[in-house]
Amino acid sequence: MLTTNFINRELADRISEEIGTPCYVYDEGSLRGAADQVMAFPNAYGLTARFAMKACPNANILRLFRKKGLKIDASSIYEAERALLAGYEASEISLSTQEFPDDDSLASIVEKGMSVNACSLYQLERYGKRFPNTKVGLRFNPGLGSGGTNRTNVGGPASSFGIWHESKEDAKELAKKYGLNVFRIHTHIGSGSDPEVWIRAVSLSLDMVRYFEEAIYLNLGGGYKVGRIAGEATTDLQVIGAPMKEAFEAFGQETGRKIHLEVEPGSYLVANSCVLLSSIQDLTSTGERGYDFIKLDSGMTENTRPSMYGSQHEIQLLVPEGEKRIEKPYIVVGHCCESGDILTPAPADPEALHPRTLPEARIGDLVAIGGVGAYCSSMATKNYNSFPECPEALLRIDGSVDLMRKRQSLQEVVANETQIAF
Ligand SMILES: *Cc1c(COP(=O)(O)O)cnc(C)c1O
């Protein structure tokens, strides 16, 4: 499967003329398809599926997903407010955050119905003091983690996310002290695509549900791995979901408790629904014992993942139809004055250069970088080197293209700077 297969030279030409490059191009059909897959997640006693909006928070994507029936996982109070602006109801939003908001901004949304997962004992205490005798979710670190790299692993002793599982008694005590009903248990460990790891995570999480007897929801977070390049596996939700469903059923038979499943994927819903359309703006070489470099008009300002994680993205040089070109190995780099701004690192090793075989490149060629729907537009080092925030477009089902976000102007880049007299 090619992650760039919804873009072709003709469409790329059209977008580069109408909007210019670089430009993120999202594919409505892929977004809808991924949402359908998530909404069909196997479950025993009901399902709530949330979009972890930190992956890609554009309001148009949120609105499309809301129509599909997806709720929201917000990872900061700002995201929760952004979801409200996009038309979500507070009751459709669940907050699991590393930075607990101030009481007033939290109250304004909690009083409208947003639910909160306390992610530390301190957060639980703060929540209990401000909202005694209400309901709360608890995010636990079950002691098990799994992720592509250390930087995407969000469970286990090296991860700060959630209440450490051995502190469950303390959590129960605190909840009791403030009359809180622990209605939901939450774990999110970044489990990848291995069904064995998932089933272990589910079993540890159900143990936590057993311990908190009032819990009626178990939220297993996201972390469904998406292959962004040939050779990387994409999670089959039906395959990993089936044993999870059985575990919920067995738990139901054992305890009489019919636990409602929540999942909250980010990557799975958006990763392969977007390409970054870019132009080749320069070609350089470091000679026979060096490399041939392709320099794009985009880079870590649009996609930081290769330099952060050594992640691999498909790179398709959109050769005009009918043109034959020989292939050559290239290092593809971004436009920032920063040696880490590279799109072809070695897998999982952002420090090492790993040439990619591509058709012979010419200045002005269009290039599509695949798999950039998740944690690219939302996580890039935007405005570094004062490059403006990149526009986002949506390829509609009927083949037309709608702008979802304009390119930033220089005035907008400097808008918050003040003028001091010297
Ligand atoms: C980031 C995050 C997710 C989504 O993770 P993906 O790997 O993008 O699926 C889900 N839940 C929580 C709490 C998160 O922080």
Side-chain angles (χ1 to χ4, degrees):
M1 180 212 54
L2 286 177
T3 56
T4 51
N5 65 1
F6 58 84
I7 194 142
N8 54 36
R9 178 64 196 225
E10 184 266 318
L11 176 64
D13 278 338
R14 184 148 55 98
I15 293 170
S16 105
E17 269 161 39
E18 284 170 17
I19 303 173
T21 62
C23 180
Y24 297 100
V25 184
Y26 295 84
D27 178 44
E28 182 180 0
S30 310
L31 291 166
R32 288 183 181 279
D36 289 339
Q37 295 287 324
V38 169
M39 293 305 291
F41 202 99
N43 64 87
Y45 308 114
L47 171 75
T48 300
R50 302 181 179 280
F51 173 42
M53 65 178 279
K54 71 178 187 290
C56 188
N58 186 298
N60 295 289
I61 304 245
L62 300 189
R63 286 167 48 225
L64 187 156
F65 281 161
R66 183 159 190 261
K67 286 217 158 158
K68 281 288 187 186
L70 288 160
K71 314 287 187 215
I72 289 291
D73 162 52
S75 63
S76 76
I77 194 77
Y78 296 97
E79 276 192 355
E81 282 166 1
R82 203 164 168 181
L84 291 176
L85 280 179
Y88 269 94
E89 303 280 342
S91 60
E92 296 173 311
I93 304 171
S94 159
L95 177 70
S96 303
T97 181
Q98 281 284 88
E99 181 179 322
F100 211 63
D102 70 71
D103 282 5
D104 289 343
S105 19
L106 187 63
S108 71
I109 312 186
V110 167
E111 278 156 13
K112 285 189 216 137
M114 179 180 72
S115 60
V116 173
N117 294 319
C119 298
S120 71
L121 293 173
Y122 169 70
Q123 288 192 7
L124 180 57
E125 178 108 49
R126 287 266 311 273
Y127 190 88
K129 272 195 188 139
R130 181 64 184 76
F131 310 103
N133 308 309
T134 60
K135 56 179 195 164
V136 72
L138 296 182
R139 176 173 180 178
F140 278 99
N141 176 342
L144 168 81
S146 152
T149 70
N150 273 340
R151 292 195 190 168
T152 52
N153 191 339
V154 284
S159 164
S160 73
F161 299 100
I163 301 168
W164 182 240
H165 62 109
E166 289 167 330
S167 303
K168 64 176 192 280
E169 284 93 354
D170 298 339
K172 202 177 212 174
E173 274 300 302
L174 269 177
K176 209 170 126 201
K177 178 172 163 196
Y178 294 106
L180 293 172
N181 170 329
V182 177
F183 82 113
R184 174 166 61 203
I185 297 299
H186 179 286
T187 57
H188 165 71
I189 61 167
S191 300
S193 56
D194 182 351
E196 292 294 314
V197 181
W198 269 107
I199 200 64
R200 237 184 89 64
V202 172
S203 147
L204 288 171
S205 303
L206 282 170
D207 286 346
M208 214 45 100
V209 173
R210 192 178 278 112
Y211 183 71
F212 287 91
E213 287 158 1
E214 293 169 331
I216 48 177
Y217 288 85
L218 174 56
N219 184 322
L220 291 168
Y224 309 98
K225 187 167 171 17
V226 178
R228 290 173 173 85
I229 195 158
E232 284 181 2
T234 292
T235 313
D236 183 331
L237 299 186
Q238 294 298 320
V239 168
I240 58 148
M244 286 160 65
K245 177 180 171 199
E246 282 169 24
F248 275 62
E249 280 164 354
F251 184 85
Q253 270 154 20
E254 178 205 319
T255 62
R257 296 166 64 192
K258 296 186 170 165
I259 303 299
H260 184 105
L261 171 69
E262 287 194 7
V263 292
E264 47 188 30
S267 308
Y268 187 91
L269 281 162
V270 286
N272 283 340
S273 306
C274 183
V275 302
L276 178 64
L277 186 65
S278 200
S279 304
I280 297 181
Q281 45 95 2
D282 207 347
L283 297 165
T284 59
S285 169
T286 46
E288 257 174 31
R289 272 178 292 163
Y291 300 97
D292 286 323
F293 293 93
I294 291 177
K295 293 191 182 177
L296 299 178
D297 64 353
S298 66
M300 64 198 296
T301 43
E302 283 72 33
N303 180 7
T304 322
R305 300 183 73 258
S307 23
M308 279 235 298
Y309 312 127
S311 58
Q312 304 292 302
H313 290 261
E314 195 188 320
I315 300 173
Q316 198 192 340
L317 206 145
L318 298 157
V319 178
E321 198 150 338
E323 228 183 276
K324 282 259 169 289
R325 298 203 194 161
I326 56 158
E327 300 207 314
K328 283 175 59 175
Y330 287 103
I331 298 295
V332 182
V333 301
H335 55 181
C336 290
C337 296
E338 155 66 46
S339 53
D341 189 8
I342 160 184
L343 270 117
T344 50
D349 181 4
E351 306 273 304
L353 303 183
H354 192 70
R356 191 82 66 91
T357 303
L358 295 168
E360 187 164 51
R362 295 182 195 151
I363 291 172
D365 278 341
L366 290 171
V367 169
I369 299 158
V372 297
Y375 307 107
C376 289
S377 178
S378 63
M379 201 177 73
T381 58
K382 68 182 59 156
N383 290 159
Y384 181 46
N385 286 195
S386 295
F387 285 113
E389 183 179 75
C390 176
E392 292 179 308
L394 182 67
L395 172 62
R396 306 302 303 266
I397 306 272
D398 66 6
S400 61
V401 174
D402 285 335
L403 196 59
M404 295 204 293
R405 182 176 77 186
K406 293 186 284 185
R407 193 181 310 282
Q408 209 178 17
S409 68
L410 184 60
Q411 283 70 32
E412 288 162 336
V413 173
V414 300
N416 292 330
E417 292 177 1
T418 59
Q419 289 236 4
I420 300 175
F422 292 107

